[in-house]
Amino acid sequence: SPEKAPLPPEFPSFIATAFFTDRSDAVLVVSFDNLSAARDAGIDRDSWGYGFVAKNGWSQLGVMTFDADWFRNDGLLTYMQELGQSGFFRRFRKVVMTGTSMGGYAACAFASLAPGCTVMAFSPQSTLKKDLVPWETRFSSGRRADWSGPFADGAVESVDAEAVFLVYDPNFAPDLQHAERYTAPNAVRLPARYSGHKSALFLRRAGLLSSVVRGTVEGSMSKSEFFRIYREIGRAHV
C-alpha cells in the first residue's frame, strides 16, 4: 500500500493529501487529481494514474484534492514548497509531472519545484487568475479560489522544465487559448483533434494513453511521435 508522504502539521488532510510510493530512484511520476476525482470524498481511492504507474515500476507522488479549488490551498502550497526545498525531487533521475484539466494546470504550475522535469499536461488550464485569463468563464469554483499566492500561472512556473507537452483539442477554443499562453521554447503543443476537453479520456478509450505517457517517461515523446501514435485512431476506423 502507498506510504503517506510526511505532512506538515498545518496540512489540511481533509482538503488534500499526498501519497508517495517508493519503487526506484530512476523515475518519479507526480500526478495530480482532476475535477472528477476531487468530487470523490473517499480517502482510500487511488491517485490519478496509480495502476499504470505501478505496472511500470515507477515511483509516484500522488497529490489528491477533495475540493475543486485548483490546488489553491495554503497548506498544500506550503507542503509542495517544503518538498522542493528539502531536495526530494533531486533524488530521482527523471521527474514527470502529469494530470488532466485541473491536474494539468497543477502539473505545469508545480514544475518549478523540479527544474529539468518533464510535464505531460492533458487539456490544462494555464491559470484561472482573472486578470490573466479574463476570457475564461468555466470552473466557477476554481475562479473563486485565492490566486494571489505562488504557483499561480503554469505558463510561467513551467519555463525551467526540460519539456512541457500540452495535449489539447485545437478546435476547442478555451483550451486552445490556454495552450497559446505557453510561449517558452520548451512548450510542445500536441493537438488532439476531436477530443474536446477530455483529451486524456479520449486517448485512453482509443487505447493510446499508455503509449503517450510511456513515451514521455522514456524520453521518446515529440510532436512527430505524438502524431504517429495519434494516427492509430484513424487507422482503427478505416
Side-chain angles (χ1 to χ4, degrees):
S1 61
E3 176 188 347
K4 196 171 186 179
L7 305 178
E10 70 275 13
F11 192 78
S13 59
F14 62 94
I15 295 177
T17 193
F19 286 90
F20 173 53
T21 306
D22 189 355
R23 298 190 179 95
S24 79
D25 293 345
V27 175
L28 173 69
V29 175
V30 185
S31 65
F32 298 89
D33 273 357
N34 58 18
L35 188 58
S36 176
R39 292 178 176 137
D40 183 348
I43 189 67
D44 59 344
R45 62 179 167 85
D46 289 336
S47 49
W48 195 76
Y50 180 83
F52 178 74
V53 174
K55 180 180 178 181
N56 284 275
W58 304 322
S59 294
Q60 183 173 14
L61 178 69
V63 184
M64 303 164 66
T65 182
F66 303 93
D67 189 20
D69 63 355
W70 264 247
F71 303 93
R72 303 303 302 167
N73 174 276
D74 288 341
L76 176 60
L77 297 178
T78 298
Y79 172 62
M80 295 300 288
Q81 285 177 313
E82 291 182 355
L83 276 185
Q85 292 165 1
S86 73
F88 172 77
F89 297 106
R90 291 195 296 273
R91 170 188 154 188
F92 301 92
R93 292 196 291 275
K94 181 152 192 172
V95 176
V96 176
M97 304 264 185
T98 190
T100 182
S101 188
M102 180 176 76
Y105 146 75
C108 296
F110 291 111
S112 59
L113 295 172
C117 71
T118 299
V119 176
M120 174 54 76
F122 299 94
S123 305
Q125 297 81 56
S126 55
T127 182
L128 293 183
K129 193 173 184 179
K130 293 176 183 177
D131 60 336
L132 296 178
V133 289
W135 38 264
E136 179 60 88
T137 59
R138 302 172 295 171
F139 316 119
S140 58
S141 59
R143 287 186 286 112
R144 286 195 301 267
D146 181 2
W147 289 86
S148 62
F151 312 112
D153 189 353
V156 172
E157 296 288 342
S158 59
V159 296
D160 289 328
E162 180 178 359
V164 180
F165 295 107
L166 305 165
V167 182
Y168 65 98
D169 187 338
N171 295 318
F172 187 61
D175 285 356
L176 173 62
Q177 287 176 285
H178 280 289
E180 288 177 337
R181 295 194 66 248
Y182 290 83
T183 58
N186 64 352
V188 183
R189 299 177 191 171
L190 304 177
R193 297 182 184 278
Y194 314 115
S195 64
H197 185 61
K198 298 183 177 181
S199 58
L201 179 60
F202 183 80
L203 288 168
R204 183 172 66 81
R205 287 176 172 171
L208 303 177
L209 182 61
S210 60
S211 296
V212 171
V213 176
R214 189 177 293 110
T216 303
V217 172
E218 294 176 351
S220 62
M221 185 50 56
S222 64
K223 185 168 286 190
S224 60
E225 173 65 6
F226 180 79
F227 288 157
R228 184 193 68 77
I229 294 171
Y230 206 72
R231 282 195 292 271
E232 295 296 323
I233 296 176
R235 293 192 186 102
H237 291 84
V238 171

